[in-house]
């Protein structure tokens, strides 16, 4: 039996140019071309960087980086670990 792929558009990301996506255990990150990072998932150990450990059902932009004038150059995930390569502006 052949597997078929069905792609769906994620409403929250439809106007973003996503350059990279990474997945950990029960969570995911999306890196936009402008350096913004979006997150989604269980967040049971705070790995989404939202200062709380609530689940995020739809992609949410991590506003900490915007407020602190930080742009992300690269993202990586493994298990519950998140690594971000940053580029501080100004």
């Amino acid at each position: 039996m052949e597997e078929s792929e069905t792609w769906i558009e994620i409403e929250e990301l439809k106007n973003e140019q996503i350059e990279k996506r990474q997945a950990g255990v029960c969570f995911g990150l999306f890196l936009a071309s402008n350096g913004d990072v979006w997150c989604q998932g269980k967040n049971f150990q705070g790995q989404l960087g939202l200062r709380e450990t609530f689940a995020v059902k739809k992609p949410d932009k991590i506003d900490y980086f915007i407020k602190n004038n930080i742009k992300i150059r690269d993202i990586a995930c493994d298990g519950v670990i998140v690594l971000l390569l940053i580029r501080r502006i100004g």
Side-chain angles (χ1 to χ4, degrees):
M1 177 192 289
E2 279 188 43
E3 289 186 35
S4 64
E5 292 183 5
T6 302
W7 291 86
I8 60 169
E9 181 176 59
I10 300 172
E11 184 68 26
E12 292 75 15
L13 300 176
K14 74 178 185 179
N15 294 321
E16 299 289 331
Q17 183 177 350
I18 300 300
E19 290 191 352
K20 189 171 187 179
R21 64 192 186 293
Q22 289 283 289
V25 175
C26 300
F27 75 97
L29 296 176
F30 306 90
L31 176 61
S33 61
N34 66 358
D36 290 342
V37 177
W38 294 72
C39 61
Q40 179 178 12
K42 293 226 177 185
N43 196 32
F44 56 90
Q45 293 183 340
Q47 60 270 49
L48 297 183
L50 301 175
R51 298 184 185 189
E52 301 288 337
T53 56
F54 53 84
V56 178
K57 294 183 179 186
K58 296 180 179 183
D60 191 15
K61 192 182 296 187
I62 302 175
D63 63 356
Y64 172 85
F65 303 123
I66 297 166
K67 290 177 183 175
N68 290 284
N69 207 21
I70 298 170
K71 293 296 180 182
I72 304 302
R73 295 180 67 187
D74 201 3
I75 58 174
C77 300
D78 185 26
V80 295
I81 307 267
V82 173
L83 300 171
L84 304 171
L85 179 61
I86 67 171
R87 176 182 68 228
R88 188 176 296 271
I89 309 297

